């Protein structure tokens, strides 16, 4: 593992939806710094330590389907953002809502729909 991070910001849906999204990323990035827990929050975050060359997971998700649409923003190195985006696209019905690139960091927004 390196000292690079992947930050995941989630809005929409409930805490169980946020946890399902985070669980889908654990195969690639390991356990997050903390699992979303606040039932009343409107925005939830999780931070993962990212391997230098993360590989997208194509393993099927075993959890329950989402209860509502969830907007997910992933931010980190280009490799981490790509691996996270592909992993989420495999685990959920996903729409790409846009991306932004910097010198060494990328951000992508996805809409996950039930």
């Amino acid at each position: 593992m390196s000292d690079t991070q992947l930050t995941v910001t989630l809005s929409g849906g409930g805490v169980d939806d946020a946890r399902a999204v985070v669980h889908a990323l654990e195969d690639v990035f390991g356990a997050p710094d903390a699992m979303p827990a606040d039932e009343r929050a409107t925005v939830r975050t999780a931070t993962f330590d990212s391997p230098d060359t993360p590989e997208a997971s194509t393993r099927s998700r075993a959890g329950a389907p989402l209860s509502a649409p969830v907007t997910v923003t992933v931010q980190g190195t280009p490799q981490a953002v790509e691996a996270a985006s592909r992993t989420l696209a495999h685990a959920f019905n996903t729409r790409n809502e846009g991306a932004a690139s910097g010198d060494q960091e990328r951000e992508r927004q996805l809409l996950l729909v039930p």
Side-chain angles (χ1 to χ4, degrees):
M1 293 280 177
S2 73
D3 60 357
T4 61
Q5 292 186 334
L6 176 75
T7 302
V8 180
T9 306
L10 307 110
S11 61
V15 71
D16 290 335
D17 295 322
R19 289 178 186 150
V21 173
V22 170
H23 283 308
L25 295 170
E26 287 180 323
D27 286 344
V28 177
F29 298 100
D33 60 346
M35 194 57 91
D38 188 348
E39 294 282 341
R40 298 167 296 178
T42 57
V43 176
R44 297 170 177 92
T45 61
T47 303
F48 296 87
D49 289 328
S50 177
D52 290 329
T53 55
E55 295 290 327
S57 174
T58 57
R59 194 182 98 169
S60 293
R61 166 177 72 93
L66 299 175
S67 68
V70 177
T71 299
V72 178
T73 302
V74 290
Q75 182 179 22
T77 65
Q79 298 88 350
V81 169
E82 184 62 29
S85 298
R86 287 211 255 127
T87 298
L88 292 173
H90 184 76
F92 302 97
N93 294 320
T94 307
R95 290 198 314 237
N96 188 353
E97 297 286 301
S101 295
D103 289 344
Q104 298 176 15
E105 196 168 77
R106 184 169 292 158
E107 179 178 295
R108 181 170 292 151
Q109 187 171 30
L110 305 167
L111 178 63
L112 311 182
V113 293

